[in-house]
Amino acid sequence: MSNTNYAVPDGEAKGGVHSITIIGGHDKDGLPEDFTLTLEAGGILCVVGPTGAGKSRFLEDIGCLAQGDTPTGRRLLLDGREPSQEQRYSLDGRLVAQLSQNMNFIMDLTVEEFILMHAESRNLASLGEDFSGPRLVERIVTAANRLTGEALSAGTAVTQLSGGQSRSLMIADTALLSPSPVVLIDELENAGVDRRGALELLVGEDKIVLVSTHDPVLALLGQRRICIHRGGVRRIIETSPAERRNAVLMGELSGKFLALRDLLREGAVLDFDMETFFLEGISVKERSLS
Amino acid sequence: MRLVTFAGPPSAGKTSAAIKTAEALMKEGLTVGAVKFDCISTTDDELYQKRGIPVLTGISGNFCPDHYFITNIEDCVAWGLSRNLDYLFSESAGLCNRCSPHIKGVRSLCVIDCLSGVNTPKKIGPMLLFADMVVITKADVVSQAEREVFAFRAREANRNARFLFVNGLTGEGASELARFLRDAPEVATLNHGQIRFPLPSALCSYCLGETRIGPDYATNSMIARKIEIPPVGEAHV
């Protein structure tokens, strides 16, 4: 056979990856990117930049374990070491799991059957009852229900779930069952999902979380964010204490908007005093009073 | 010239994956041509041409598509060599899942898409079983769990293959596929070459155009294989 120079992957990597290091390459004009960025398990990095700037390529460089051989020339180290050839061409799911807005469940199964099918492909029974049977289903359903206002049950067909329920189940399933140490999140919508809770769940499972977003609330939830422009990483910004405080405020305001959405859905008339509505219970008000 | 066979069920995304990969190779200054094998009709040749990729089209029509492939691929290789191509992509859709166009010593890919369902990897047969690389498409629209289950089952079917997710719309993964093709074996001729899996043992009146039904018309009953039907009254399993 012609491909004998590539080792064959056998089973999933055990032990996982605790850190990834991204070493800058160059932007679309060939200008060098001067950065080395290490992400540790349990950390969140947000990726911002105009549409077409190269956010997806950045995430793709991580997904394919770039070794200076992608259009950006970036390189990736796993736990400080170069990945082996077999790591690069083995199943993608091993290093990187992806969650995005346009994903759907296509299988005609109940939530329970779905979770058990996923678990079967992982062969996790040896890890104990937390990773098999009803206990596993319960853990994932509970985690999903913490992220959504509308509780889902194990007997529901996955294709019948609402948008918020689907998203919550995907996040909980990825956090607890996906073997990938890195999770890439593309535009996690606010609707029906507690986004802060989602990130906390993933981080709590020691995932390295990368979030690509245009949403200021989400972008400030990470410890750091990188700004991509013309294909290159332009800035790496640490989220400052002031930004964190503002993130809380923006989160509260965005919650208010969601509440308005719910009122609209229920057939309410939105003619009340909105100034009061928006300022009520908002931390900026409390801060100005104190 | 390096020959690469792209096989896979209809609408799996072979043409899109092939074109994105060809573009990645062409960016490096390499030349790529294509042969599109189809059974009924195709307009995919226009897609190749639009990107400046020279293309041959073969429609097998009422001919066994695999037989058609085998008796034509050598001429296609000669065509590619005469044009000094660095790569020739042979793409075959609609071959029945019983066969595969994979040739010994030729880089062989199987393209399957996640939307076809998690049981599909078990149904595809030698196209998947004898591929050097399994290219998985449309992964961006299904959940992470379904993607993992799908990939797991594909690997159960072919433990020797490499696996790669390619997005035919955005081109994600295409540069990695191009890299995998960089060391594909060179082919000067396929004469005396061998396919990786034999064609079915069949030569009967129906192969030759018979349309009537019944034992009177089925010549060579030696190769007739009957469906097992339980006797009346016996429980259906």
Side-chain angles (χ1 to χ4, degrees):
Chain A
M1 297 270 283
S2 50
N3 62 340
T4 43
N5 52 332
Y6 293 99
V8 174
D10 192 26
E12 283 160 358
K14 294 281 180 259
V17 172
H18 302 288
S19 79
I20 57 173
T21 303
I22 307 146
I23 301 167
H26 51 78
D27 71 4
K28 282 176 189 164
D29 303 316
L31 298 169
E33 297 175 301
D34 186 20
F35 77 92
T36 299
L37 188 61
T38 297
L39 310 174
E40 306 278 348
I44 301 172
L45 177 74
C46 294
V47 184
V48 300
T51 304
K55 296 195 294 295
S56 301
R57 183 65 246 179
F58 181 83
L59 299 179
E60 214 186 310
D61 281 342
I62 295 172
C64 75
L65 308 179
Q67 287 308 306
D69 46 11
T70 66
T72 63
R74 293 191 187 113
R75 291 194 302 124
L76 208 79
L77 305 178
L78 304 181
D79 291 329
R81 285 185 298 275
E82 273 183 25
S84 65
Q85 200 56 239
E86 74 237 52
Q87 267 170 306
R88 302 197 65 189
Y89 279 122
S90 57
L91 288 175
D92 176 53
R94 296 205 314 152
L95 183 71
V96 172
Q98 270 177 302
L99 286 166
S100 81
Q101 234 32 74
N102 53 1
M103 279 174 190
N104 292 293
F105 291 119
I106 58 160
M107 273 192 268
D108 192 12
L109 295 175
T110 64
V111 169
E112 176 173 18
E113 289 166 336
F114 178 83
I115 293 169
L116 293 177
M117 172 185 256
H118 189 194
E120 193 193 325
S121 79
R122 295 283 325 278
N123 204 8
L124 295 173
S126 60
L127 293 180
E129 62 174 20
D130 266 6
F131 288 90
S132 63
R135 179 79 190 102
L136 174 70
V137 174
E138 189 201 312
R139 283 173 62 226
I140 294 179
V141 169
T142 306
N145 283 339
R146 269 192 217 115
L147 304 179
T148 177
E150 353 153 47
L152 60 93
S153 78
T156 317
V158 288
T159 49
Q160 306 273 297
L161 300 174
S162 73
Q165 289 173 326
S166 292
R167 221 51 65 199
S168 303
L169 178 60
M170 281 182 200
I171 295 162
D173 171 86
T174 299
L176 299 171
L177 256 190
S178 172
S180 311
V182 181
V183 180
L184 305 182
I185 299 178
D186 198 4
E187 281 300 330
L188 186 57
E189 234 176 67
N190 210 349
V193 182
D194 171 4
R195 298 185 297 177
R196 177 185 290 270
L199 295 185
E200 278 168 5
L201 173 66
L202 291 163
V203 162
E205 292 296 319
D206 270 342
K207 303 283 187 190
I208 298 169
V209 182
L210 287 111
V211 188
S212 163
T213 186
H214 299 292
D215 185 322
V217 181
L218 204 51
L220 299 187
L221 284 180
Q223 291 94 354
R224 271 180 295 188
R225 64 182 182 278
I226 58 166
C227 311
I228 299 196
H229 193 72
R230 286 203 60 78
V233 173
R234 271 303 144 84
R235 287 187 75 183
I236 301 177
I237 303 174
E238 299 281 334
T239 312
S240 67
E243 278 192 327
R244 277 185 198 288
R245 278 196 302 278
N246 285 338
V248 174
L249 173 61
M250 286 190 286
E252 283 165 350
L253 288 173
S254 136
K256 296 275 179 177
F257 262 99
L258 279 185
L260 287 178
R261 223 182 71 139
D262 288 341
L263 285 171
L264 196 68
R265 270 174 157 176
E266 288 158 17
V269 178
L270 306 182
D271 61 353
F272 45 83
D273 178 3
M274 273 205 194
E275 222 168 329
T276 312
F277 170 83
F278 269 105
L279 292 177
E280 202 172 32
I282 288 289
S283 37
V284 69
K285 200 176 149 198
E286 287 156 22
R287 277 206 299 275
S288 64
L289 288 175
S290 61
Chain B
M1 185 182 70
R2 303 179 202 275
L3 176 66
V4 180
T5 54
F6 283 73
S11 304
K14 292 180 295 299
T15 307
S16 299
I19 285 176
K20 294 287 184 201
T21 307
E23 286 175 339
L25 290 167
M26 285 155 70
K27 244 184 232 166
E28 295 168 36
L30 297 160
T31 52
V32 183
V35 193
K36 173 79 191 191
F37 286 95
D38 226 322
C39 297
I40 315 288
S41 76
T42 185
T43 51
D44 290 343
D45 48 338
E46 294 165 17
L47 297 174
Y48 283 107
Q49 271 158 359
K50 232 187 266 175
R51 275 113 181 144
I53 301 167
V55 59
L56 293 177
T57 302
I59 302 292
S60 54
N62 61 354
F63 217 64
C64 160
D66 301 279
H67 191 121
Y68 182 82
F69 170 83
I70 287 182
T71 49
N72 278 287
I73 189 66
E74 169 72 354
D75 290 349
C76 299
V77 166
W79 170 80
L81 288 167
S82 75
R83 297 191 61 126
N84 284 322
L85 296 176
D86 295 309
Y87 282 90
L88 180 64
F89 289 180
S90 152
E91 189 199 327
S92 39
L95 302 174
C96 67
N97 290 343
R98 162 62 181 72
C99 294
S100 86
H102 301 321
I103 300 165
K104 289 180 184 173
V106 169
R107 188 55 54 90
S108 303
L109 312 177
C110 178
V111 182
I112 49 177
D113 79 275
C114 287
L115 283 178
S116 63
V118 292
N119 292 321
T120 298
K122 287 181 188 165
K123 297 177 186 169
I124 292 180
M127 270 194 298
L128 173 62
L129 267 48
F130 294 95
D132 299 323
M133 177 177 271
V134 178
V135 174
I136 302 176
T137 58
K138 304 181 198 174
D140 57 326
V141 289
V142 304
S143 66
Q144 175 67 24
E146 283 160 297
R147 197 180 313 138
E148 284 173 19
V149 173
F150 190 83
F152 168 78
R153 295 196 174 172
R155 195 179 65 193
E156 292 283 285
N158 182 344
R159 296 191 72 86
N160 295 316
R162 323 297 315 166
F163 291 85
L164 190 66
F165 287 92
V166 172
N167 184 326
L169 296 179
T170 63
E172 183 179 340
S175 57
E176 284 69 53
L177 182 49
R179 190 172 54 231
F180 181 66
L181 300 184
R182 224 167 281 168
D183 68 342
E186 300 248 8
V187 171
T189 173
L190 290 176
N191 195 21
H192 303 301
Q194 256 189 310
I195 50 172
R196 298 187 185 189
F197 191 73
L199 296 188
S201 44
L203 180 62
C204 71
S205 48
Y206 296 108
C207 299
L208 300 169
E210 179 61 80
T211 54
R212 289 166 297 179
I213 301 167
D216 291 351
Y217 311 106
T219 56
N220 202 353
S221 57
M222 291 288 286
I223 57 169
R225 185 172 297 175
K226 308 296 275 183
I227 294 181
E228 212 174 297
I229 299 173
V232 181
E234 205 168 284
H236 214 79
V237 210

